[in-house]
Amino acid sequence: MSNSTILTILDNLEKLHRSLLRLAYDKTALLKSGDMEGLDQLLKDEQAHLAAISQMDLSRQTAVANYLKDQGRSVPLNPTVANILDAAPEVERQSLEEARDRLLHAIHDLKGQNDLNQKLTYQSLQFVNLSLDMIRPQMESVTYSKNEIAGTKNSSGERSFDSKA
């Protein structure tokens, strides 16, 4: 297995993550506009992207494991690009590091956008709950306590239990 295969896989992973980032930007716009039908379709597109990324990541792990085997090195349980950087020649190491850094940058951007979308979703949920609380009538207590029947109420400062007794 050559480094060119691993580089191709890393480039494809970066493209998929950049595409998912564009979907995350679209999701932000949909959340702001409140377009639930568009959001539903976008979530389906996201699921397809995530499945492709998962499949591509399995290919990356396989390619890294094969490269390490070809170099006569031990293969860890979850092989990463960092595992092959020591085994790769200097010329290939630089291109692998650049591809890895581009992918990590895309993942970092995606994480930031997803955090924003999560906050927007939470705020929307808070607004919906607040609106429902304002519309929905408040339930009054249908039972009476012993003191309310007798016509007295405990104030918040009075205790009903005497700890000195």
Side-chain angles (χ1 to χ4, degrees), residues 1-11 63 67 92 95-96:
M1 185 70 52
S2 69
N3 279 343
S4 62
T5 305
I6 297 169
L7 284 172
T8 303
I9 292 171
L10 289 175
D11 288 339
Y67 182 83
E92 293 176 353
S95 59
L96 283 170

Side-chain angles (χ1 to χ4, degrees), residues 8 14 17 25 32 52 56 84 100 121 127 129 153 158:
T8 303
E14 180 192 359
H17 279 87
Y25 288 135
K32 287 179 180 178
M56 189 64 62
I84 64 172
R100 180 193 63 181
T121 303
F127 178 74
N129 284 333
K153 273 190 163 178
E158 293 180 22

Side-chain angles (χ1 to χ4, degrees), residues 37 68 137:
E37 289 177 13
L68 289 172

Side-chain angles (χ1 to χ4, degrees), residues 50-89:
L50 291 174
I53 287 171
S54 178
Q55 193 67 27
M56 189 64 62
D57 193 52
L58 288 174
S59 298
R60 178 202 49 84
Q61 286 182 359
T62 303
V64 169
N66 289 339
Y67 182 83
L68 289 172
K69 285 178 189 174
D70 290 347
Q71 296 294 320
R73 296 184 181 249
S74 64
V75 178
L77 184 61
N78 293 318
T80 64
V81 174
N83 297 127
I84 64 172
L85 289 177
D86 294 334

Side-chain angles (χ1 to χ4, degrees), residues 100-144:
R100 180 193 63 181
D101 291 343
R102 285 192 314 268
L103 177 59
L104 289 175
H105 185 68
I107 291 170
H108 178 27
D109 292 346
L110 180 61
K111 184 182 180 318
Q113 192 63 34
N114 280 338
D115 288 343
L116 174 65
N117 287 342
Q118 181 181 10
K119 289 174 185 173
L120 286 172
T121 303
Y122 181 72
Q123 287 176 352
S124 296
L125 183 61
Q126 282 182 321
F127 178 74
V128 167
N129 284 333
L130 177 68
S131 300
L132 286 174
D133 286 343
M134 290 172 57
I135 294 171
R136 185 173 44 201
Q138 297 295 324
M139 295 290 293
E140 292 193 26
S141 177
V142 293
T143 61
Y144 296 100

